[in-house]
Amino acid sequence: MASTSAPSTSQDGQPSQPVAIVCVGMAGSGKTTFMQQINAHLHRQKEPPYVINLDPAVIHSPFESNIDIRDSVNYKEVMKQYNLGPNGGILTSLNLFATKIDQVLGLLEKRAAPDPATPDRKPIKNILVDTPGQIEVFVWSASGAILLESLASSFPTVIAYIIDTPRTSSTSTFMSNMLYACSILYKTKLPMILVFNKTDVKDASFAKEWMTDYDAFQAALAEDESNNAFGGMEGGDGMGAGSGYMGSLLNSMSLMLEEFYAHLSMVGVSSLYGTGIDEFFQAVQEKAEEFKRDYQPELERRREEREESKKKAREKELEKMMKGMSMATGGEGPKVGDIKDDEAEPSESSDEDDDDIDEDNDEEGLQARYEAAMQEERDSTGADASFAKYLYTQK
């Protein structure tokens, strides 16, 4: 069997980074079994992954984790101490774990790089992340956003959205899953793979057809309407009383999601028998390249914007401080402890100096403004007197 794990080098010849695969899915979708299957697949390929478990409430895990949230946070103790329910306990446990994300990234980066001390140990090529079954607790929480953004800032990150195929065979449940996947995609802003699980029970070919052929979905929608699949009281024509509204709604949503489908990869897998796993890892590699091409530049742009915003804030505060020093050293200067009236009119020389600083703000920069303030200070207190000495003499 050919290996489908990540290549050791990228297209430019540089060592490739490991790909982080974050598995999310509704409770009962087979997410943990899928994690077990892809973990076993990578071990068979002699490329053992680095596994992270973020579900603090799981009692038994069928796979071993390199980093387990249960080792750091006691879920039941959190519920007891903070008087929380199950979902609140999971959310609080994730919040506590998120405070240690820098340590997690440090361990991942260490394992992703070759270790001269142990040359036989190969760097990891895949990072598998298992999340809580309460999908909204992870996807829509601040701690989930911190964990995902931190991973994406260091490694190519892909979202694997696990779908229970037998429960998605009707047009209404299929559209509900697609809408939820759409919300996750635009919330996380990361590449996504739709994993239709349990294909040993129900083949996923219908889902691929509905995603690629609008007419096929319309035909299935008409059939569900004729069979009164949407519930409601039967009318004289055999149609449900609410089926007209549901059919119109699903029709409108299918038109809206046509562009959404173009940004997704879809694979059908059986976590029980391991079928479709090779296709899944092929989709992972495609999404990893898409991450580097489309998503990483956007992440770097947003990071640069945050840094530029912080820099401008620091410059603004420094400018205020410089102006305050300039005002304090003008004329005789106030004594230490004096309170200055905010409504008092400034002197003409102070106005002129402030105008000069504002006009030269963009050209001279921080250093020029600082030197201008220091020059004004020397003019007012003597060439051999510092600002500190001036304050001392005024006591």
Side-chain angles (χ1 to χ4, degrees):
M1 182 182 294
S3 174
T4 54
S5 58
S8 58
T9 57
S10 59
Q11 295 180 353
D12 56 4
Q14 297 296 325
S16 61
Q17 292 179 298
V19 181
I21 305 171
V22 182
C23 296
V24 299
M26 301 287 187
S29 61
K31 176 172 55 62
T32 301
T33 310
F34 175 74
M35 277 281 299
Q36 180 189 19
Q37 188 62 244
I38 60 177
N39 181 37
H41 175 84
L42 291 173
H43 276 278
R44 288 194 296 267
Q45 300 296 334
K46 307 300 181 183
E47 295 289 352
Y50 201 88
V51 182
I52 302 175
N53 173 44
L54 296 180
D55 189 354
V58 64
I59 298 176
H60 171 70
S61 178
F63 51 86
E64 294 185 359
S65 302
N66 299 92
I67 298 177
D68 198 325
I69 188 175
R70 295 175 296 173
D71 296 335
S72 305
V73 183
N74 189 321
Y75 166 68
K76 292 185 177 180
E77 187 62 29
V78 168
M79 290 176 61
K80 180 180 178 181
Q81 183 174 350
Y82 294 100
N83 194 26
L84 299 170
N87 286 347
I90 294 174
L91 180 59
T92 304
S93 298
L94 283 171
N95 290 340
L96 294 171
F97 186 78
T99 62
K100 304 295 183 182
I101 187 60
D102 56 332
Q103 298 179 19
V104 174
L105 291 179
L107 291 171
L108 292 174
E109 290 171 355
K110 183 178 179 180
R111 287 292 286 111
D115 187 1
T118 55
D120 295 336
R121 189 181 68 178
K122 295 189 296 184
I124 58 174
K125 296 181 181 179
N126 294 278
I127 302 168
L128 306 182
V129 183
D130 192 18
T131 60
Q134 290 78 354
I135 186 172
E136 68 281 355
V137 172
F138 178 78
V139 173
W140 300 102
S141 66
S143 55
I146 291 171
L147 292 167
L148 282 176
E149 290 179 4
S150 299
L151 269 178
S153 66
S154 301
F155 308 101
T157 304
V158 177
I159 301 292
Y161 180 52
I162 317 301
I163 299 174
D164 189 341
T165 307
R167 296 182 182 178
T168 317
S169 55
S170 70
T171 54
S172 57
T173 54
F174 173 80
M175 189 57 61
S176 297
N177 264 295
M178 294 301 101
L179 288 174
Y180 209 103
C182 180
S183 66
I184 294 173
L185 176 67
Y186 289 107
K187 174 65 169 65
T188 61
K189 297 180 177 65
L190 294 171
M192 177 181 288
I193 302 173
L194 297 182
V195 181
F196 283 84
N197 197 14
K198 305 181 183 180
T199 55
D200 53 295
V201 180
K202 173 73 174 177
D203 189 76
S205 58
F206 73 93
K208 185 174 183 179
E209 184 180 17
W210 288 354
M211 292 175 63
T212 55
D213 188 347
Y214 175 77
D215 292 332
F217 182 79
Q218 294 301 306
L221 182 59
E223 183 179 355
D224 282 350
E225 285 182 327
S226 64
N227 294 333
N228 194 27
F230 304 133
M233 297 179 60
E234 291 248 350
D237 57 356
M239 299 283 286
S243 63
Y245 165 75
M246 283 295 295
S248 176
L249 177 63
L250 293 176
N251 180 44
S252 300
M253 289 191 294
S254 64
L255 284 171
M256 181 270 294
L257 291 177
E258 189 173 1
E259 179 66 21
F260 166 69
Y261 294 147
H263 296 83
L264 296 178
S265 293
M266 175 267 181
V267 294
V269 303
S270 170
S271 297
L272 183 62
Y273 296 109
T275 56
I277 300 299
D278 287 330
E279 290 79 3
F280 169 74
F281 278 101
Q282 183 178 356
V284 167
Q285 291 306 309
E286 293 173 358
K287 289 299 177 182
E289 293 300 323
E290 181 182 329
F291 176 91
K292 296 174 184 177
R293 182 182 67 251
D294 300 331
Y295 288 80
Q296 197 164 20
E298 175 64 17
L299 289 173
E300 292 176 353
R301 185 188 64 81
R302 286 189 290 169
R303 188 183 301 114
E304 290 175 357
E305 286 181 354
R306 288 195 297 267
E307 292 298 326
E308 184 67 22
S309 177
K310 292 179 182 178
K311 181 180 178 181
K312 289 181 178 179
R314 288 194 297 266
E315 290 180 353
K316 188 175 181 180
E317 290 299 321
L318 185 56
E319 183 179 354
K320 289 181 180 179
M321 183 187 71
M322 293 300 182
K323 288 184 176 181
M325 291 174 61
S326 175
M327 294 289 291
T329 56
E332 296 181 356
K335 296 182 180 180
V336 176
D338 289 347
I339 299 176
K340 188 175 181 180
D341 187 356
D342 293 336
E343 297 181 358
E345 295 183 0
S347 62
E348 294 181 359
S349 59
S350 177
D351 282 338
E352 293 174 357
D353 294 335
D354 286 347
D355 291 341
D356 292 340
I357 293 176
D358 290 338
E359 290 174 359
D360 297 337
N361 182 36
D362 295 332
E363 298 178 0
E364 295 180 347
L366 286 176
Q367 183 63 29
R369 294 201 302 274
Y370 180 79
E371 291 176 357
M374 291 298 100
Q375 181 62 39
E376 181 181 9
E377 174 190 328
R378 287 192 293 269
D379 293 342
S380 61
T381 61
D384 59 345
S386 66
F387 181 59
K389 185 181 294 184
Y390 166 72
L391 291 179
Y392 179 78
T393 58
Q394 297 297 315
K395 291 183 180 180

